Amino acid sequence: MLELLLPQRCLACGRSGTAVCRRCLDSLPRIEPPLCARCGSPTAWPVRRCAECSGRRLAFETARAAVAYDERVRAILAGWKEHGLRRLAATAADLVEAVIERPAVDALTYVPPDRSRLLERGHHPAERLARELGERWQLPVAKVLARPRSSARQRGSSLAERRRNVRGAFVAKEAPRSVCLVDDVYTSGATASASASALRRAGARRVVVVTFARALRLR
Ligand SMILES: [Zn+2]
Ligand SMILES: [Zn+2]
């Protein structure tokens, strides 16, 4: 219902019309090959490991994202999180479907919300995105992960702090053998890796990660 009360302006450019206008939608920076086969970072040529992920222990097999996290994507995600615009989950899923190949897995799951943030917002973008992708890819969505404690806010913390904060932040019940973990943004990979660890402890043999957006480090 909230959606009806909001002024219809593009979250990215402010033009009146829809929540994301066609011009912005068409020009969002899609992440396309060549990529690092492991972490999905764009690279000059296809590589198995890149400067960003080599030497790191990542619990997932691969990570892929649809768009680069730029100012417009940041604005769209902020609007999505604040207002819970249902159709933004569909828009994000359309982009993911257009850019990323359907993963060969048994099921999808999602990074669980921090309890306090879920209460604040009353909705969870990662779960909504997973459900939209489940419909498009004809895959079941399993609720597997939970956060046993409230984790520290990630924003503004250093990479080392982020990794420390998320270690042990997730628990999983019985996980599908082969599973795709869905989240809205891939930032340092620490959250995805900690979630993937929990899935593997709960029986997953293979974990791949799919996100709507991905932060790109300067190379
Ligand atoms: Zn726009
Ligand atoms: Zn990499």
Side-chain angles (χ1 to χ4, degrees), residues 7 54 59 77 85 90 94 103 109 117 119 123 125 136 141 144 169 173 213:
S54 67
L77 280 165
L85 298 168
D94 287 343
T109 192
R117 267 166 277 179
L119 290 175
H123 71 100
R136 286 163 179 73
V141 179
V144 183
K173 56 183 186 188

Side-chain angles (χ1 to χ4, degrees), residues 10 13 21 24:
C10 173
C13 72
C21 75
C24 286

Side-chain angles (χ1 to χ4, degrees), residues 35-41 43 47-54 58 186 214:
L35 303 175
C36 168
R38 178 100 167 129
C39 75
S41 175
T43 46
V47 291
R48 294 163 66 90
R49 287 265 185 176
C50 70
E52 184 176 326
C53 69
S54 67
L58 297 170
Y186 180 106
R214 187 194 200 287

